[in-house]
């Protein structure tokens, strides 16, 4: 079975491709590495950027140039090829011309949208091209019943996890949004007052000054999936920050499940999943940490192995592709406020 895999998240692609190979697929990876961006300081590009903005009233010269480069690359890569499956992650990130081309060359097209649909409304134009279209937020299923979206959570991919010594009480890695930075410093204060250790790594834009410390680091470069796994394995508890437009469970939730590790989060919707247990997940607004100390003292509540296996990358891919035997993955139905 030939499968075309399309995902710009190179880090996350590694375990997915490995699992697809394990399942017997011949995988053609469209994006094996991210292309080098255009040189914004070259005389040629600076001239045409100004020309586009002033004469053509187009503010997206560099963005359009990158799209054209990617399209030319994709056309060459996919020439005269056909596939049994095409698996997209976040199809909204690609031009319509690529979606149409892959549709013509694939027997079945599948997309997993791990962001809220209203965040990237352009995705609605692509929905008719897909045979199976998955969302991780049940509000999207209820809000747009005419599209017949399928439910799907994120997954865990490290099935052979080895526990290591605990070096941190809390660990977080992610994008350094202002709100997250403030919440992290609130937690740092709680840790300082209670003799606990925090390790947080947040990426910030290049124009912002880096501030790197043993506990909270604001840095320009992110870390690899391997580094993330190593840090997380050294932590007693993982931090999960919910975005305003996201109601589904993040990858951190399932990574903690595989490691038998505690989680603190500001996403109260997690209590509606079958994997929730109050000894494993603590809810806070990251302003008031009442009860967190007591939560840390309780041992992790071991989950039923059937639940853990249900959210594994192997079952996840079988369900997404409707391939072989699998346990369907559903979402809680939340009432909109």
């Amino acid at each position: 079975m030939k499968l075309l895999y399309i995902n710009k998240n190179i880090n996350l692609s590694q375990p997915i491709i490995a699992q697809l190979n394990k399942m017997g697929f011949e995988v053609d990876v469209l994006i094996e590495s991210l292309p080098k961006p255009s040189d914004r300081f070259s005389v040629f590009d600076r001239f045409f950027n100004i020309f586009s903005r002033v004469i053509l009233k187009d503010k997206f010269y560099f963005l359009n140039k990158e799209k054209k480069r990617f399209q030319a690359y994709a056309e060459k890569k996919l020439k005269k090829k056909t596939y049994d499956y095409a698996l997209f992650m976040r199809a909204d990130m690609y031009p319509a011309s690529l979606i149409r081309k892959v549709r013509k060359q694939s027997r079945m097209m599948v997309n997993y949208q791990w962001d809220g649909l209203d965040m990237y409304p352009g995705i609605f134009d692509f929905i008719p091209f897909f045979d199976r279209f998955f969302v991780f937020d049940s509000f999207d299923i209820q809000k747009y019943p005419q599209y017949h979206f399928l439910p799907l959570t994120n997954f865990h991919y490290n099935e052979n996890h080895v526990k290591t010594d605990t070096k941190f009480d809390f660990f977080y890695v992610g994008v350094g949004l202002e709100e997250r930075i403030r919440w992290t410093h609130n937690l740092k204060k709680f840790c300082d007052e209670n003799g606990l250790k925090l390790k947080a790594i947040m990426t910030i834009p290049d124009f912002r000054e880096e501030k790197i410390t043993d506990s909270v680091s604001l840095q320009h470069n992110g870390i690899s999936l391997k580094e993330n796994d190593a840090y997380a394995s050294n932590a007693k508890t993982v931090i999960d920050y919910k975005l305003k437009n996201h109601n589904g469970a993040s990858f951190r939730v399932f990574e903690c499940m595989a490691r038998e590790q505690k989680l603190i989060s500001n996403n109260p919707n997690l209590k509606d999943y079958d994997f929730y247990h109050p000894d494993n997940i603590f809810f806070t607004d990251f302003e008031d940490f009442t009860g967190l100390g007591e939560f840390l003292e309780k041992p992790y509540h071991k989950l039923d192995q059937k639940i853990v296996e249900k959210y594994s990358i192997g079952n996840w891919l079988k369900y997404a592709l409707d391939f072989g035997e699998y346990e369907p993955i559903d979402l809680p139905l939340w009432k909109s406020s």
Side-chain angles (χ1 to χ4, degrees):
M1 300 289 283
K2 296 182 67 175
L3 183 145
L4 176 65
Y5 174 75
I6 305 173
N7 186 4
K8 287 188 177 180
N9 188 322
I10 305 301
N11 257 342
L12 186 60
S13 291
Q14 297 169 12
I16 295 175
I17 295 168
Q19 183 62 36
L20 287 168
N21 287 328
K22 187 177 178 181
M23 291 164 61
F25 283 101
E26 179 184 339
V27 183
D28 197 353
V29 182
L30 182 63
I31 308 171
E32 296 181 277
S33 62
L34 291 179
K36 185 178 180 180
S38 300
D39 183 2
R40 293 175 177 250
F41 297 99
S42 73
V43 175
F44 176 87
D45 282 318
R46 288 173 66 183
F47 170 79
F48 278 100
N49 183 38
I50 295 172
F51 178 82
S52 296
R53 291 170 61 187
V54 177
I55 306 300
L56 303 179
K57 307 301 181 183
D58 180 4
K59 299 179 181 179
F60 303 102
Y61 168 77
F62 285 107
L63 179 62
N64 292 331
K65 183 176 180 179
E66 296 299 334
K67 285 183 176 180
K68 289 178 181 178
R69 286 175 60 190
F70 177 78
Q71 185 63 26
Y73 161 80
E75 289 283 345
K76 183 178 179 181
K77 178 93 173 180
L78 301 177
K79 190 174 182 180
K80 296 182 179 179
K81 291 185 178 181
T82 58
Y83 301 95
D84 297 292
Y85 293 88
L87 176 58
F88 281 79
M89 302 291 179
R90 286 267 322 265
D92 64 281
M93 301 180 73
Y94 308 100
S97 54
L98 175 64
I99 304 293
R100 288 193 292 267
K101 183 175 181 60
V102 174
R103 174 70 276 180
K104 291 178 181 178
Q105 298 176 213
S106 305
R107 180 176 60 84
M108 176 181 284
M109 273 180 61
V110 179
N111 179 57
Y112 178 46
Q113 201 69 11
W114 63 43
D115 274 306
L117 295 178
D118 290 337
M119 291 184 66
Y120 304 98
I123 188 62
F124 287 94
D125 294 335
F126 298 159
I127 292 170
F129 291 97
F130 290 91
D131 301 288
R132 292 168 71 80
F133 194 106
F134 293 92
V135 297
F136 88 138
D137 187 336
S138 70
F139 281 131
D140 285 331
I141 295 177
Q142 297 173 72
K143 187 175 181 179
Y144 302 106
Q146 67 271 32
Y147 292 110
H148 305 289
F149 294 129
L150 295 170
L152 189 57
T153 65
N154 288 320
F155 55 83
H156 61 81
Y157 54 84
N158 195 341
E159 298 179 350
N160 299 311
H161 175 70
V162 178
K163 292 184 178 180
T164 59
D165 294 335
T166 300
K167 296 181 180 179
F168 320 111
D169 294 286
F170 302 100
F171 172 67
Y172 176 75
V173 62
V175 178
L177 304 177
E178 289 300 328
E179 195 171 42
R180 291 175 177 176
I181 294 172
R182 187 183 79 251
W183 288 338
T184 301
H185 284 296
N186 289 345
L187 183 58
K188 173 66 165 57
K189 182 180 178 182
F190 173 84
C191 289
D192 291 343
E193 293 172 349
N194 291 276
L196 301 171
K197 289 187 177 181
L198 167 67
K199 182 68 175 180
I201 302 171
M202 291 179 278
T203 53
I204 56 174
D206 290 343
F207 63 81
R208 291 191 58 182
E209 181 182 358
E210 290 186 311
K211 294 181 181 179
I212 299 176
T213 70
D214 290 338
S215 56
V216 180
S217 294
L218 305 180
Q219 57 191 54
H220 295 153
N221 296 321
I223 63 175
S224 68
L225 196 64
K226 185 177 181 180
E227 290 172 313
N228 173 72
D229 289 344
Y231 277 121
S233 296
N234 290 146
K236 183 175 183 178
T237 311
V238 168
I239 303 163
D240 176 57
Y241 294 140
K242 174 187 175 297
L243 291 172
K244 290 181 180 180
N245 292 323
H246 285 185
N247 296 290
S250 72
F251 276 102
R252 296 179 187 87
V253 176
F254 302 96
E255 292 163 6
C256 285
M257 182 190 305
R259 299 188 194 103
E260 298 186 351
Q261 185 177 41
K262 287 174 174 271
L263 180 94
I264 64 170
S265 176
N266 60 345
N267 186 357
N269 297 314
L270 298 180
K271 69 181 182 296
D272 297 322
Y273 288 85
D274 57 0
F275 55 72
Y276 171 71
H277 192 280
D279 291 351
N280 299 345
I281 301 177
F282 180 83
F283 299 114
T284 175
D285 59 2
F286 292 101
E287 303 287 346
D288 180 1
F289 297 102
T290 302
L292 180 54
E294 291 80 358
F295 168 79
L296 294 174
E297 293 298 320
K298 296 177 182 178
Y300 181 89
H301 179 85
K302 193 174 182 67
L303 299 175
D304 187 321
Q305 190 59 29
K306 288 184 178 179
I307 293 178
V308 179
E309 291 176 358
K310 173 182 174 181
Y311 296 104
S312 69
I313 189 172
N315 186 67
W316 189 94
L317 282 168
K318 289 178 181 179
Y319 169 54
L321 299 173
D322 192 23
F323 179 82
E325 295 183 4
Y326 55 80
E327 179 72 22
I329 301 172
D330 210 340
L331 294 171
L333 292 178
W334 302 306
K335 293 181 180 180
S336 57
S337 57

